[in-house]
């Protein structure tokens, strides 16, 4: 992280773009509708659609694993809403689980006599694969960071992105993504649904009509309270999918409700975002 939370200068950023993808929704507008209409969840089929990010060239898209597709899709959604040029936007990608399907595949292959890994799968196994696909496909010329902190990933990625946005005075895209745990990993991680979301941040005051302003404050981990989400499936998604820890903030943004949203950073510390409209 670039600087500690105790930094004297208040850290504030403006939000100018949002992307979302997951079970029963393909974009931010559909997730907003789900937040606003709790009864709608009962009628939906909670099966995760397969994202097809058009920004990735067709040949590369066919080889891209699901976590990469999800991350790039929501990143592109947020960028389009912001109206910014991708070349000017730094990025922070966060995934608590990584690609468990490829990890499971490599572990299994390495137990065989041949030990011959697919070059494509090995290429996609690194934790910054999503950031690589995004920067190459979008023409991003700024820094690209990748963060992994299991259930604390969302808070730490937001912390890093907000600090970088203010300290470097540049737009920063923060993308959170985790897909359902694969095969043997289901015994370790309870994650059964995939989810991804992206927030595009700019320095406070840099946008004419931002969606909201986020002000950072230090907090203790004891203050973290699970959001009251409008459907059991969303509650389960929040509990089990590390990236979905951002759902409470997204619900607040959808309702245009000012107030605090707290993310756990460690057993002792938390990140409090004061949201205003």
């Amino acid at each position: 992280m670039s600087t500690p939370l105790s930094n004297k200068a208040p850290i504030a950023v403006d939000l100018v773009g949002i992307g979302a993808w997951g079970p029963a929704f393909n974009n931010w507008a559909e997730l907003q509708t789900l937040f606003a209409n709790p009864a709608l969840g009962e009628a939906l089929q909670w099966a995760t659609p397969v994202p097809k990010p058009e920004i990735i060239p067709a040949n590369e898209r066919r080889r891209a694993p699901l976590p990469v597709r999800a991350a790039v899709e929501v990143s592109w959604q947020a960028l389009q809403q912001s109206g910014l040029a991708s070349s000017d936007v730094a990025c922070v990608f966060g995934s608590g689980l990584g690609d468990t399907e490829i990890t499971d595949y490599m572990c299994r292959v390495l137990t065989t006599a041949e030990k011959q890994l697919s070059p494509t799968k090995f290429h996609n196994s690194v934790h910054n694969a999503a950031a690589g696909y995004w920067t190459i496909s979008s023409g991003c010329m700024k820094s690209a960071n990748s963060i992994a902190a299991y259930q604390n990933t969302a808070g730490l990625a937001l912390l890093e992105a907000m600090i970088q946005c203010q300290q470097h005075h540049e737009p920063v895209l923060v993308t959170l993504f985790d897909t359902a745990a694969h095969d043997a990993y289901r015994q370790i991680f309870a994650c059964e649904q995939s989810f991804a979301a992206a927030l595009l941040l700019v320095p406070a005051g840099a946008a004419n009509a931002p969606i909201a302003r986020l002000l950072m404050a230090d907090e203790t981990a004891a203050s973290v309270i699970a959001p009251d989400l409008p459907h059991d499936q969303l509650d389960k998604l929040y509990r089990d999918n590390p990236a979905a820890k951002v759902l409470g903030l997204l619900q607040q943004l959808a309702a245009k409700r000012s107030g605090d949203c707290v993310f756990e950073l460690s057993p002792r510390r938390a990140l409090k975002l004061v949201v205003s409209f």
Side-chain angles (χ1 to χ4, degrees):
M1 294 175 287
S2 304
T3 189
L5 280 176
S6 58
N7 181 32
K8 294 181 180 179
I11 296 177
V13 299
D14 286 341
L15 174 64
V16 296
I18 304 175
W21 168 88
F25 53 91
N26 291 284
N27 51 52
W28 171 231
E30 292 181 6
L31 180 55
Q32 284 179 288
T33 300
L34 189 57
F35 282 141
N37 300 276
L40 181 63
E42 303 297 336
L44 291 175
Q45 182 179 359
W46 288 82
T48 307
V50 178
K52 297 179 180 179
E54 297 299 326
I55 192 173
I56 302 179
N59 286 341
E60 295 298 322
R61 191 165 62 242
R62 281 192 291 270
R63 291 192 287 266
L66 180 58
V68 166
R69 291 188 181 200
V72 173
E73 172 62 25
V74 296
S75 298
W76 182 238
Q77 291 176 17
L79 182 73
Q80 286 184 305
Q81 184 180 9
S82 74
L84 296 173
S86 58
S87 57
D88 299 329
V89 178
C91 50
V92 176
F93 284 77
S95 175
L97 305 182
D99 193 324
T100 59
E101 182 173 1
I102 288 182
T103 304
D104 178 68
Y105 156 80
M106 292 195 302
C107 290
R108 291 180 184 278
V109 170
L110 291 175
T111 64
T112 65
E114 293 79 11
K115 295 182 173 57
Q116 294 184 353
L117 292 169
S118 159
T120 299
K121 288 187 181 294
F122 181 75
H123 164 79
N124 287 327
S125 70
V126 293
H127 196 73
N128 64 346
Y133 274 87
W134 169 252
T135 54
I136 293 170
S137 299
S138 68
C140 172
M141 303 300 291
K142 294 285 188 174
S143 64
N145 295 331
S146 295
I147 290 176
Y150 189 37
Q151 295 287 16
N152 297 333
T153 298
L156 286 165
L158 283 164
L159 173 64
E160 173 64 28
M162 290 180 68
I163 292 173
Q164 185 174 337
C165 181
Q166 175 158 303
Q167 295 296 314
H168 296 176
H169 202 72
E170 63 182 0
V172 179
L173 172 74
V174 54
T175 300
L176 302 164
F177 61 102
D178 276 301
T179 52
H182 182 74
D183 206 4
Y185 280 93
R186 293 173 186 165
Q187 301 173 35
I188 305 172
F189 306 122
C191 185
E192 298 177 359
Q193 295 279 10
S194 301
F195 173 84
L199 304 175
L200 208 158
L201 313 175
V202 298
N208 292 327
I211 298 169
R213 176 159 294 179
L214 308 179
L215 177 67
M216 181 189 297
D218 196 5
E219 191 55 89
T220 62
S223 63
V224 178
I225 301 174
D228 183 16
L229 295 166
H231 196 281
D232 289 344
Q233 291 282 3
L234 289 178
D235 279 328
K236 183 171 177 54
L237 190 64
Y238 174 87
R239 290 195 308 270
D240 299 339
N241 186 305
K245 292 294 180 287
V246 77
L247 276 171
L249 175 61
L250 293 178
Q251 183 184 33
Q252 196 170 336
L253 293 169
K256 297 186 182 302
R257 186 178 71 249
S258 296
D260 300 345
C261 185
V262 184
F263 294 84
E264 185 174 340
L265 300 177
S266 74
R268 294 185 178 181
R269 304 309 305 168
L271 167 69
K272 180 168 75 174
L273 299 184
V274 182
V275 183
S276 59
F277 295 90

